[in-house]
Amino acid sequence: MDTKEKLWNRNYTKVMAVNFCLFFAFYLITPLLPLYLSETFHSTKDTIGFVLSGYILLALAARPFSGYIADTFNRKKVLVVCILANFLVFGSYLAASTLILFAIVRTLHGAPFGAATVANSTMAIDVLPSSRRTEGIGLYGLSNNLGSAFAPTIGILLYKYIGNFHVLFWIAFAVSGLALWAAGSIDAPKKEPVPDKRAISLDRFFLLKGWAIATNMMMFGYCYGVLSSYLAIYGKEKLGITQGTGTYFMLLAIGLMASRIQGARALRKGKLLSNALEGVLISTVGYTIFIAWPSAIGYYGSAILIGLGNGHIWPAFQNMIINLAQNNQRGTANSTLLTSWDLGMGIGILLGGIFAEKFGYQTAFWSSVAFHIMGVAMFFFVTMTHYRKNALR
C-alpha cells in the first residue's frame, strides 16, 4: 500500500473549508439562541426546547434521502444545491421578527443543513486517496469540530461587546456564503451512475448493518444536545459564571484538536475500536464531573474531557460505519451516522428543556450522564461485537 499519496490535496482542503464554514455559521448562533428567545420573545424554558428542536424534524427527514441522492446523482451538484439552500435560510433569520416566524425558519433550516453535511462528508471520501482514507476521515472531522467549538466562543464574545443578535446573524449569513463559493470550486472526481436497487429498499436510506453504531451515536448525541443548548443559562443561573461559556467552548476545542491529531496515528494503524472505547470512557467522566462537581473546576475541566472524548468518538465511529458499507453506500453510511446524532441531539434539546422547566437543570444534566453510561455499556457489549462480525474492510 502506498502511504506516500498526498493527503492534503487541493480538493480535500476545499472540502475541509466547506465543512468548517457550514459548522461555524451554524454554531455561531446556536448556543445563544436560548438567550435570544428568552430576551427577545420572553419564551419559557420548555418553549425554548420545542423551538430549538424544530430543525431536527426536517434534518431527520432530509438526511436519509440526501444520503441516497449523494450515492446516486452528481455529488458536486447535490452539494452546491444543498449549500445554496442553507445560505438562503441563514438570510431568513434576519427577517424572522416573531416567535412563530423564527420557529418556522429554525425548523426549515434542518433540511439544507442536514443534507449539506451528508453531501460534503461523502465528497470528502471521494477526493481522498484510498491509502490515506482512514486517516483523512479522522482529520476531516477537525473542520466541523473546530467550527462548532470556536464559533460559540466568537459568538459569545461578539454578543458581549456588541449586544446585538442581528450582527451574529449577518456574520453567519456571510460565512455560509463562503461555504457556497468553496463548494462551487471543488473539482469533483467523476463517478459512474449507481445501478438501481429494488424499487423500495430500506437500505437506500438507512445502513441496516450500522444499527448498533447509530443507536450508540444517538445516545451520545442526546448528551451533547442537553449540554450545548443549556450550558450558557446553567452557568449563569446556577454557577454564577456569566462570561465563561466562550472559554468553555475554547477548552472543548483544544480537547477536540488534541485527540483528533493524536488519534490519527491510531486510525492509521486500524485501531478503530480502541480509539472509540477510549473516547466514550473519557466523555463519560467529562459529563459526570460537569454536574457532580458544580464549580469552576468541574465546569471547565469537563470541557477538556468531553472534547478529548468526542475527538476520539467521531472519527472512529465514522470509519467504522463506512467499513460496514459497500462503496456505493458511502452517502447512506454518512447519513445514518449523522441522522442518529441529530435524533439524539433533538431528543436532548427537547427533553432537556422539559426537565429543566419541571425539575431543574441538575436533572437535565444528570440524564446526560445516565444516557452516556448506557451508551458505554452498549458499545462494549453489543457494538464492538457487531462491528467485528460485519466489517467489510
Side-chain angles (χ1 to χ4, degrees), residues 275-298:
N275 214 41
L277 183 59
E278 182 179 346
V280 299
L281 291 173
I282 293 173
S283 291
T284 301
V285 176
Y287 283 106
T288 301
I289 70 167
F290 177 84
I291 188 63
W293 197 353
S295 66
I297 295 176

Side-chain angles (χ1 to χ4, degrees), residues 262-276:
Q262 182 273 328
R265 296 193 206 96
L267 293 177
R268 198 159 53 231
K269 298 176 182 178
K271 297 180 179 180
L272 299 182
L273 293 176
S274 60
N275 214 41

